[in-house]
């Protein structure tokens, strides 16, 4: 037996095997790299589904949890304000103020937000703390805001205005939160595009949808006795009418209990 020849054969065999294995390895590596490169970006997937969005808010990196307490209206706290002149005011359970106007407040345009804002500012106590939300038949809704961020669908910070058949303001009802405090240090929030990706992956964005508005506000996260904790949340208005809210810290879609309002902003 010629051991020298056998040794040479073994060496050549292993050399060929090594070359083959290296070939397969680099082939697989190139294939995976190619797959990574050709995977469409999230932006391209949105375009493929014809999902549009306008400019997204920038430079909002951190925010706080808030704590707040529903205000208890009392006779010596604002109810003698000159703004309430010409109104019949009652307070229910100390928390809900209801006012009926002695004379309807005429609106020249049935939905001129500037005109309605003027009424709220001049005839509703703490009126500058509310922001217009929308109109639904004979009802106009405002929600309280803090540092230009709205307390979305918060029934403890809500102003509801009622209109008569001529679209004149005849009465309103309000609740408001007070003792608003920022809890802990500011924490990092997810960015709007990441929240949009969550909506897309969860099927909340249908093909040909348009995200017509994106803003950061607060939703009630926890009730603690007589107070509540509010968390930052991204609000997305889809096709000008549907509201979807995403937790700005954890990224989940949030279902709010307060009734849906038609958005006309």
């Amino acid at each position: 037996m010629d051991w020298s020849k056998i040794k040479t054969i073994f060496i050549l065999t292993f050399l060929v095997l090594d070359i083959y294995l290296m070939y397969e390895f680099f082939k697989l590596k190139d294939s995976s790299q190619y797959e990574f490169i050709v995977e469409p970006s999230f932006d391209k997937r949105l375009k493929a589904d014809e999902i549009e969005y306008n400019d997204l808010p920038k430079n909002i990196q951190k925010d706080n949890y808030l704590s707040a307490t529903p205000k208890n209206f009392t006779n010596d706290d604002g109810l003698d304000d000159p703004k309430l002149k010409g109104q019949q005011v009652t307070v229910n359970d100390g928390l809900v103020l209801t006012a009926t106007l002695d004379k309807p407040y005429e609106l020249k345009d049935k939905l001129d937000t500037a005109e309605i804002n003027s009424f709220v500012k001049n005839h509703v106590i703490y009126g500058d703390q509310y922001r217009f939300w929308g109109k639904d038949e004979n009802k106009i809704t405002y929600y309280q805001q803090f540092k230009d961020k709205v307390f979305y669908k918060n029934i403890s910070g809500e102003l509801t205005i009622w209109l008569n058949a001529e679209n004149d303001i005849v009465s309103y009802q309000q609740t408001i939160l007070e003792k608003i405090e920022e809890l802990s240090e500011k924490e990092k929030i997810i960015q709007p595009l990441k929240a949009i990706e969550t909506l897309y992956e969860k099927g909340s964005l249908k093909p040909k949808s348009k995200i017509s508005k994106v803003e950061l506000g607060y939703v009630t996260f926890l009730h603690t006795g007589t107070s509540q904790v509010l968390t930052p949340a991204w609000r997305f208005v889809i096709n000008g009418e549907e509201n979807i809210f995403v937790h700005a810290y954890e990224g989940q879609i949030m279902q709010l209990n307060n009734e849906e309002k038609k958005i006309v902003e």
Side-chain angles (χ1 to χ4, degrees):
M1 182 177 293
D2 191 338
W3 289 106
S4 179
K5 289 184 179 180
I6 294 175
K7 182 180 178 181
T8 301
I9 292 172
F10 270 110
I11 291 173
L12 292 174
T13 301
F14 281 113
L15 181 59
V16 171
L17 181 60
D18 286 341
I19 293 172
Y20 173 75
L21 291 176
M22 288 180 66
Y23 169 77
E24 289 295 326
F25 171 77
F26 284 112
K27 181 180 176 183
L28 182 61
K29 183 180 179 182
D30 289 342
S31 176
S32 63
Q33 286 179 339
Y34 177 74
E35 289 174 1
F36 177 78
I37 292 170
V38 299
E39 170 110 22
S41 68
F42 176 59
D43 227 20
K44 289 182 178 178
R45 284 189 285 162
L46 291 181
K47 289 180 180 178
D49 283 341
E50 298 181 59
I51 297 173
E52 301 177 28
Y53 61 86
N54 298 322
D55 292 338
L56 300 177
K58 299 176 181 178
N59 302 321
I60 306 177
Q61 302 295 326
K62 295 183 178 182
D63 210 330
N64 303 82
Y65 283 105
L66 302 179
S67 66
T69 303
K71 181 175 181 58
N72 195 324
F73 293 99
T74 60
N75 289 329
D76 60 352
D77 187 10
L79 298 187
D80 58 351
D81 193 298
K83 290 182 178 181
L84 300 180
K85 184 179 179 180
Q87 304 178 32
Q88 302 301 314
V89 177
T90 59
V91 176
N92 302 322
D93 298 325
L95 302 176
V96 183
L97 185 151
T98 302
T100 302
L101 278 60
D102 294 341
K103 180 182 178 181
Y105 185 92
E106 182 179 352
L107 296 175
K108 296 178 182 178
D109 189 301
K110 66 179 181 179
L111 191 55
D112 183 344
T113 54
E115 213 177 353
I116 304 168
N117 288 341
S118 178
F119 169 82
V120 172
K121 179 180 179 180
N122 296 306
H123 299 282
V124 177
I125 56 174
Y126 314 110
D128 58 351
Q129 294 189 41
Y130 297 93
R131 189 197 294 180
F132 177 83
W133 177 261
K135 181 179 182 294
D136 185 6
E137 297 181 352
N138 68 329
K139 182 169 62 176
I140 297 171
T141 302
Y142 279 67
Y143 283 112
Q144 190 176 351
Q145 60 181 347
F146 175 74
K147 293 186 176 180
D148 295 324
K149 296 172 187 172
V150 176
F151 295 161
Y152 299 127
K153 298 191 178 184
N154 195 316
I155 60 173
S156 296
E158 184 177 50
L159 172 65
T160 305
I161 299 170
W162 281 281
L163 309 175
N164 61 15
E166 288 73 39
N167 280 305
D168 298 330
I169 297 173
V170 292
S171 63
Y172 64 86
Q173 178 177 290
Q174 75 176 119
T175 56
I176 194 166
L177 290 161
E178 62 178 1
K179 300 177 182 177
I180 302 170
E181 297 180 0
E182 297 176 339
L183 299 178
S184 68
E185 297 295 324
K186 288 184 179 292
E187 300 179 34
K188 188 176 180 179
I189 62 174
I190 64 172
Q191 293 305 292
L193 190 59
K194 183 64 178 178
I196 291 173
E197 188 172 0
T198 296
L199 299 180
Y200 182 82
E201 297 295 345
K202 297 296 183 180
S204 296
L205 282 179
K206 306 301 181 186
K208 298 185 178 181
S209 296
K210 181 175 181 179
I211 302 173
S212 49
K213 186 170 186 176
V214 181
E215 66 175 4
L216 187 68
Y218 296 97
V219 300
T220 302
F221 182 63
L222 180 68
H223 286 277
T224 58
T226 58
S227 64
Q228 57 182 263
V229 176
L230 301 101
T231 183
W234 288 108
R235 172 198 176 199
F236 297 91
V237 182
I238 312 300
N239 299 324
E241 55 185 23
E242 180 186 6
N243 283 286
I244 305 180
F245 303 90
V246 176
H247 196 298
Y249 288 138
E250 301 175 6
Q252 304 103 326
I253 297 174
M254 305 183 76
Q255 301 296 328
L256 305 191
N257 293 326
N258 200 3
E259 64 176 348
E260 182 68 43
K261 303 291 194 306
K262 182 180 179 181
I263 301 304
V264 292
E265 294 175 272

